[in-house]
Amino acid sequence: MISQIVRRGLFLLPSVLLAGCETVVLNPSGDIAAQQGRLVIISTALMLLIIVPVIALTLIFAWRYRKNNTSAKYEPDWDHSTKLELIIWGAPLLIIIVLGLITWISTHKLDPYRPLDRIDASRPLAADHKALEVQVVALDWKWLFIYPEQGIATVNELVTPVDVPVRFKITASNVMNGFYVPALAGQIYAMPGMETQLNAVINKVGEYEGFSANYSGAGFSHMRFKYRGVAAADFDNWVARTKSESKPLTRADYLALEKPSEREPVRRYGGVDNGLYTAILNRCVEPGSTCINQMMADDANRIRNAAANLNAHEAGAASAAKPEQPAAEAAHAGHAGHVAQNGADTVHPANHFHKE
């Protein structure tokens, strides 16, 4: 009796453990994440169309053709069945075609760089809508969010209004990270010296978890932030309060913030130094440092000038290498010209006389 209870308990244990898991990936609050969740479900269901029958047939064959079943039909010379071959190859082929089509469509439709065309499945976006821009910087080991239009910044706190498209521009200070808010959209890498983008929208008011999805060192486990979706009026009040109650984020403040630290509390800045995000992206926040984009522009100019000088040099060399006209040919050309001139003088009066 006890062993039976233990067996039943072990059988139910996975269900008990899974009950504490969050299902935010399959039940998100943002439209992009919802579409991605449905894609996972559809892909899994299509694959189960093959996996479940194969597992079931394996068990059926093992039971039917067991050693003790003497009533099973014994055909040692059987080697081919056209119908069975069609099923074995046709069903997986059709599923692969359907999966490929869904993947191709979803890859373009859910491209993180593509601007949104709807708020959710029932509400399209107006043609003249304006997205909220948020600049994201992955630091060691914390997150910096800059709102360029509002002129504020935060550390480990992201706030956006619901039903408003958001365009995230993402980079990193030193180490590659992964910007991920499961309730909002899929993971996007944050890389130093590079900018990635994500277009997304949150559709429900609430507080959600955001974190780094790419290991980046000792403080990776605590590199988390709170993401709050709020009403438009609450967002405006939050921006006004942040601007009035917080000091500005200067480049010196950023250089201090950039140093590795763990479990950083939420910070707010009521202003942002002009061009700070561009300097972070081009790795030239420190005074006197050269920006990457300026270095690339200088290199391009040097290459362009070198190519122009090379073309000019080759043109000059080709002109200098051209052979001079031989003296005999020059004399012959001069004589022919003299004869032609004399002939013209002779013919001209005759023609004139004839006209008179």
Side-chain angles (χ1 to χ4, degrees):
M1 180 65 180
I2 296 177
S3 61
Q4 186 177 3
I5 294 175
V6 172
R7 286 198 299 270
R8 290 180 179 177
L10 292 176
F11 179 76
L12 295 174
L13 181 61
S15 300
V16 175
L17 295 177
L18 289 174
C21 294
E22 292 187 34
T23 58
V24 63
V25 174
L26 300 180
N27 187 29
S29 300
D31 183 58
I32 295 297
Q35 295 182 66
Q36 293 171 339
R38 284 193 295 271
L39 181 61
V40 171
I41 293 174
I42 293 173
S43 301
T44 303
L46 287 172
M47 290 185 285
L48 287 176
L49 290 177
I50 292 296
I51 296 172
V52 171
V54 168
I55 293 175
L57 289 173
T58 301
L59 297 175
I60 292 172
F61 291 163
W63 174 256
R64 182 174 181 180
Y65 297 104
R66 67 192 186 278
K67 181 179 179 181
N68 296 333
N69 186 13
T70 58
S71 62
K73 191 175 181 180
Y74 180 63
E75 293 179 310
D77 298 327
W78 181 89
D79 62 356
H80 179 72
S81 171
T82 302
K83 293 181 179 179
L84 188 59
E85 290 288 341
L86 288 174
I87 295 173
I88 291 174
W89 293 103
L93 181 60
L94 290 175
I95 291 175
I96 289 172
I97 292 173
V98 174
L99 274 174
L101 181 62
I102 292 174
T103 302
W104 187 87
I105 295 173
S106 301
T107 298
H108 291 81
K109 186 177 181 181
L110 299 177
D111 181 0
Y113 284 74
R114 179 181 179 178
L116 301 183
D117 57 4
R118 71 183 203 181
I119 297 174
D120 54 32
S122 60
R123 292 179 293 174
L125 274 172
D128 58 346
H129 76 277
K130 185 177 182 181
L132 171 67
E133 181 177 324
V134 179
Q135 298 165 343
V136 182
V137 183
L139 303 171
D140 296 331
W141 288 276
K142 47 199 168 284
W143 293 93
L144 172 65
F145 302 101
I146 301 174
Y147 297 76
E149 296 177 0
Q150 288 72 26
I152 63 172
T154 61
V155 173
N156 288 341
E157 182 186 42
L158 175 61
V159 181
T160 65
V162 297
D163 296 336
V164 173
V166 184
R167 179 177 294 110
F168 295 97
K169 295 184 176 182
I170 307 167
T171 189
S173 60
N174 295 305
V175 181
M176 181 176 175
N177 278 280
F179 175 72
Y180 188 28
V181 183
L184 181 69
Q187 179 212 182
I188 301 295
Y189 283 118
M191 296 169 282
M194 300 178 66
E195 181 184 85
T196 52
Q197 293 186 22
L198 171 64
N199 287 275
V201 60
I202 197 73
N203 301 119
K204 296 180 182 178
V205 174
E207 185 173 279
Y208 309 99
E209 190 77 12
F211 53 88
S212 173
N214 190 79
Y215 181 73
S216 57
F220 162 77
S221 300
H222 307 296
M223 192 174 173
R224 297 175 174 268
F225 63 90
K226 292 298 180 182
Y227 171 46
R228 294 193 290 119
V230 299
D234 294 334
F235 177 76
D236 294 336
N237 293 334
W238 174 78
V239 170
R241 189 168 59 253
T242 300
K243 296 186 74 170
S244 63
E245 298 177 356
S246 307
K247 68 174 185 177
L249 176 63
T250 64
R251 297 201 177 200
D253 294 329
Y254 171 80
L255 292 175
L257 184 65
E258 187 183 30
K259 297 177 181 178
S261 61
E262 299 181 32
R263 300 177 182 270
E264 282 289 331
V266 172
R267 300 184 190 179
R268 300 185 182 98
Y269 299 91
V272 182
D273 192 52
N274 187 32
L276 178 60
Y277 175 78
T278 302
I280 297 171
L281 176 61
N282 290 283
R283 305 180 67 79
C284 56
V285 179
E286 295 184 0
S289 56
T290 304
C291 296
I292 292 177
N293 57 351
Q294 185 61 48
M295 294 172 59
M296 295 176 66
D298 293 343
D299 289 341
N301 289 332
R302 281 194 293 269
I303 293 173
R304 191 179 300 110
N305 294 335
N309 293 335
L310 180 61
N311 292 335
H313 176 73
E314 290 178 350
S319 177
K322 185 176 180 180
E324 296 182 359
Q325 189 178 30
E329 293 181 3
H332 177 72
H335 176 71
H338 178 70
V339 171
Q341 180 64 36
N342 290 339
D345 293 340
T346 304
V347 172
H348 179 69
N351 290 340
H352 180 70
F353 176 78
H354 179 72
K355 288 179 180 178
E356 290 181 348

